[in-house]
């Protein structure tokens, strides 16, 4: 067995790819590799690949497969003074070759030159090439540890682009391999007192992220990443295509994932530099990269595509975990982020497809709550915090229910977010009892509410949260609470279906009744009135036994 025959096996492997398979084979089996009779020579391999030709994707895929197999050669790898350079050439070539292609990008409706959608076979082939390429990168790194000294932007960009397995170009195996290799490279750099400093992070932001977002400017911020007090409209050229203005969206879509990985390591890594024989420990600070982080984050959040808004909300949550409240206040960006997020609460059916609306609502509420916690961390700012929460309740929850209509899944997620808002408000939720309580009891007492148990359960849990937080006013609103509990309980008794969800609803209703009893006082006159009501209807005996 020689290298030429190994390449022939790689070609057969690619031709055998079947779209219907869960995950076709992506590498040559070790049994075949064991037939190699001579050691692998990295210098010879580096001379056979064409680092300048990226047009023939099938040929590149073949090269990746057979080179990865050759590095598993039981006869070993020849090491000489040129091995390091050859390994670096192979590594750089492979990293550039498997960078996610534009076939996975969103198609622009305004650009007739946009390529057609890729076939299912081509997408599967790309995913398999990525898995093989990541194995190749890991193998090269293992065989030539000295490459830790040369952590290139090409390698880091490639690995970071495969860290989110929700991306269409990333299989779970590829995500695991990329994350493992990234951790290995960073840990080895730190342990070896090498240079994984803010220079590399700045290099990624300055050299890879910024150019792709350069023309996606937001008039709400300045070039330094601060709130613009006097926004100036940006002059645009009508001849500029949408693809050129938003390269990160229509061409290099992987950069959003790379940006997310940068945020995850921006503030948690202890970065070590080595200079003049002295170790200097530096903490990477977000503030020094602030002008490079804010524009891309706002561009993603402010994009019209729902999928990008969802990613933007997730990135903002990650960003807020590493951002001091003082920095948000000083730059004025808390208000900018809030103004960007609040309109997302109105993305409801029928103007927005239900599935897209569900995904956006599921992301924007946690992002808003994270933003509020970051902006108002002190008790002194509780008034401003409550004003903002009130606004979210009015614009998002109350208006959302008014427009939800027959979209029961939208109503369910809004009810779940109502619980989150009540928890965040705490005792101050009494201010909104007159609005929130009828909303919850209206769902509980609706004639056909058992037909959709998730909504009924969400309403029962929201009522429980409301009783726990607004308990001082439960005596005044006991009639409304009892209406929701009793009508819902009676309808559940008339529903003879057996399901875990309905059983869970019954349990929560019992807990709510018990909580109400504790709040009102077990032996109080008010509670005696409640007992009289419950005992008047035989069906209610099990709701709250005396």
């Amino acid at each position: 067995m020689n290298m030429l025959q190994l390449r022939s096996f790689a070609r057969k492997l690619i031709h055998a790819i079947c779209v219907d398979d869960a995950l076709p084979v992506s590498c040559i089996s070790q049994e075949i590799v064991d037939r190699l009779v001579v050691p692998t020579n990295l210098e010879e391999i580096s001379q056979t690949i064409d680092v300048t030709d990226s047009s023939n994707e099938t040929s590149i895929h073949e090269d990746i497969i057979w080179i990865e197999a050759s590095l598993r050669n039981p006869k070993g790898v020849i090491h000489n003074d040129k091995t390091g350079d050859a390994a670096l050439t192979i590594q750089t070539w492979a990293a550039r070759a498997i960078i996610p292609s534009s076939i996975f990008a969103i198609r622009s409706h305004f650009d007739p030159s946009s390529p057609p959608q890729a076939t299912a076979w081509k997408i599967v082939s790309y995913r398999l090439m990525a898995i093989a390429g990541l194995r190749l990168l890991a193998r090269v790194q293992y065989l030539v540890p000295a490459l830790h000294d040369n952590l290139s932007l090409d390698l880091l960009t490639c690995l970071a682009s495969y860290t989110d397995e929700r991306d269409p170009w990333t299989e779970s195996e590829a995500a695991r391999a990329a994350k493992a290799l990234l951790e290995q490279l960073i840990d080895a750099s730190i342990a070896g007192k090498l240079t994984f400093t803010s220079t590399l992070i700045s290099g990624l932001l300055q050299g890879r992220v910024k150019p792709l977002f350069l023309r996606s400017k937001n008039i709400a911020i300045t070039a330094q990443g601060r709130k613009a007090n006097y926004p100036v409209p940006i002059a645009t050229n009508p001849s500029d295509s949408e693809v050129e203005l938003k390269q990160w969206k229509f061409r290099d879509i992987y950069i959003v994932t790379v940006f997310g990985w940068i945020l995850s390591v921006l503030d948690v890594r202890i970065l070590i530099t080595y200079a003049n024989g002295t170790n200097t420990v530096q903490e990477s600070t977000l503030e020094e990269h602030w002008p490079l982080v804010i524009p891309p984050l706002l561009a993603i959040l402010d994009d019209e595509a729902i999928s990008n808004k969802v990613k933007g909300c997730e990135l903002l949550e990650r960003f807020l975990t590493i951002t001091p409240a003082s920095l948000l206040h000083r730059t004025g960006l808390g208000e900018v982020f809030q103004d960007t997020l609040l309109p997302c609460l109105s993305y409801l059916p029928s103007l927005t497809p239900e599935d897209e609306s569900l995904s956006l609502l599921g992301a924007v509420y946690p992002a808003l709550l994270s933003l509020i916690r970051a902006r108002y961390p002190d008790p002194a700012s509780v008034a401003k915090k409550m004003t903002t929460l009130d606004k979210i309740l009015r614009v998002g929850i109350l208006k959302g229910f008014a427009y939800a209509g027959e979209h029961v899944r939208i109503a369910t997620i809004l009810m779940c977010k109502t619980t989150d808002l009540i928890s965040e408000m705490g005792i101050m939720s009494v201010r909104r009892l007159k609005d929130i309580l009828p909303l919850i009891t209206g769902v509980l007492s609706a004639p056909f509410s058992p037909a959709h148990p998730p909504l009924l359960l969400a309403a029962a849990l929201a009522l429980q949260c409301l009783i726990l937080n607004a308990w001082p006013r439960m005596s005044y609103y006991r009639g409304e609470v009892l209406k929701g509990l009793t009508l819902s309980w009676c309808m559940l008794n008339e529903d003879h279906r057996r399901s875990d969800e309905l059983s869970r609803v019954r349990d929560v209703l019992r807990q709510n009744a018990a909580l109400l009893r504790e709040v009102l006082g077990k032996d109080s006159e008010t509670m005696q009135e409640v007992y009289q009501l419950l005992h008047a209807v035989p069906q209610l005996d099990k709701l709250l036994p005396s």
Side-chain angles (χ1 to χ4, degrees), residues 35 42 44 79 126 134 145 156 183 193 199 204 238 273 287 310 361 376 407 410 440 462 476 479-480 509:
R35 301 178 194 170
L42 289 180
E44 290 181 359
H79 287 271
Y126 259 102
L134 290 167
L156 287 176
E183 287 293 328
K193 303 173 185 177
T199 305
L204 282 174
T273 58
E287 192 166 0
V310 172
L361 292 176
Y376 310 115
H407 300 280
I410 298 293
I440 297 172
Y476 182 83
E480 187 70 25
L509 291 177

Side-chain angles (χ1 to χ4, degrees), residues 21-88:
D21 291 347
L23 184 62
V25 178
S26 60
C27 64
I28 297 173
S29 68
Q30 188 61 41
E31 181 182 357
I32 295 173
V33 175
D34 288 341
R35 301 178 194 170
L36 290 171
V37 295
V38 295
T40 300
N41 190 321
L42 289 180
E43 184 183 357
E44 290 181 359
I45 291 177
S46 67
Q47 292 172 355
T48 62
I49 58 177
D50 188 350
V51 295
T52 61
D53 182 19
S54 60
S55 58
N56 193 338
E57 295 163 358
T58 303
S59 176
I60 293 173
H61 194 174
E62 288 177 9
D63 285 339
I64 288 175
I65 291 176
W66 77 260
I67 293 173
E68 186 276 331
S70 70
L71 297 185
R72 290 184 274 122
N73 188 350
K75 299 294 186 297
V77 175
I78 297 174
H79 287 271
N80 53 42
D81 56 346
K82 297 183 179 180
T83 299
D85 292 339
L88 187 59

Side-chain angles (χ1 to χ4, degrees), residues 5 22 56 74 133-134 158 165 182 239 262 264 267 296 306 329 374-375 383 391 405 416 455 499 510 523 531:
Q5 292 172 312
N56 193 338
L134 290 167
C158 170
E165 59 186 82
L182 277 170
S239 64
I262 292 172
S264 69
D267 197 62
I306 300 295
H329 177 72
R375 290 185 71 190
K391 187 173 184 179
C416 292
L455 176 57
S499 74
R510 288 193 194 96
D523 299 322
Y531 280 132

